[in-house]
Every structure is written in C-alpha cells, then in structure tokens.
Amino acid sequence: MRFENINIRYILASALSHNAIMVDVRTPDKFRKGHIPMSVNLPLSDIQNNKVSFPKNRTLIVYCDNGGSSMQAARLLSDMGYEVINCIGGIKNYKGALTKNQG
C-alpha cells in the first residue's frame, strides 16, 4: 500500500480535515517530555511487533523526531491496511506548543 507525506507544519490541519488520529511513534519517555497536543503514543517497536489496535476506518498521521522512524511506521501501518499520512521533518521542525506529561 501507499501513504501520503506532508510537512509537519500541516499536521493539525490535516488531522482535522481527515478526522485522523495523530500518532507519535517515539519512545514513551520522549512522548512524556513533549508531544503535539491530542496525539497518542504508539512506539515504533510496538508497531513492529504488530501491537496496533486503531480502527481501520480512521486515518493515522504519524510523526517522530526527524522523520525516519515515522517513515518506517507509515510503511508498516500501510501494509497492515491503514490509511496513513507521514509527517516529514519530525517534531523537531514543529513550531507549535507541545504538551508535556509529568512523571
């Protein structure tokens, strides 16, 4: 299957227009230190181990630090039958506010 690539700066608009789930594929520790608001954490390692339980009728928008891990995740999720949008540039190029979790 194929997936679309977008610049990270369009993630929120794309999520709204596609009613998509934003998925941070970084480690839980990095996710807690700062993530894009309303995103959920599903580490690349879980995707590689087929631990994915999102509804297939929802588009997934994936991002990571720089874009490499999200590209891998996009390929895997696409092969699993999900409609996927990959964010090029990663969270390091995201200019909006981040949500941080304590703990």
Side-chain angles (χ1 to χ4, degrees):
M1 297 191 87
R2 300 185 64 117
F3 55 89
E4 180 182 348
N5 290 301
I6 62 168
N7 187 293
I8 189 85
R9 71 176 152 227
Y10 302 119
I11 189 171
L12 295 177
S14 191
L16 288 171
S17 69
H18 288 90
N19 188 31
I21 301 169
M22 293 183 294
V23 183
D24 184 322
V25 302
R26 299 174 303 149
T27 64
D29 188 49
K30 286 185 177 182
F31 181 79
R32 277 190 296 277
K33 289 179 180 174
H35 57 272
I36 296 172
M38 297 178 290
S39 62
V40 297
N41 186 222
L42 181 66
L44 177 59
S45 59
D46 285 356
I47 297 168
Q48 290 168 328
N49 291 316
N50 207 20
K51 295 180 182 175
V52 182
S53 60
F54 295 116
K56 295 268 175 124
N57 65 341
R58 297 284 301 275
T59 299
L60 304 179
I61 301 180
V62 295
Y63 71 91
C64 62
D65 277 327
N66 296 307
S69 293
S70 65
M71 183 71 75
Q72 266 187 285
R75 283 189 190 113
L76 292 167
L77 291 165
S78 179
D79 288 345
M80 292 176 195
Y82 289 97
E83 183 177 327
V84 183
I85 298 172
N86 176 53
C87 289
I88 297 171
I91 198 168
K92 291 186 176 180
N93 292 298
Y94 180 73
K95 302 299 183 205
L98 298 177
T99 299
K100 296 178 183 182
N101 298 16
Q102 301 301 317

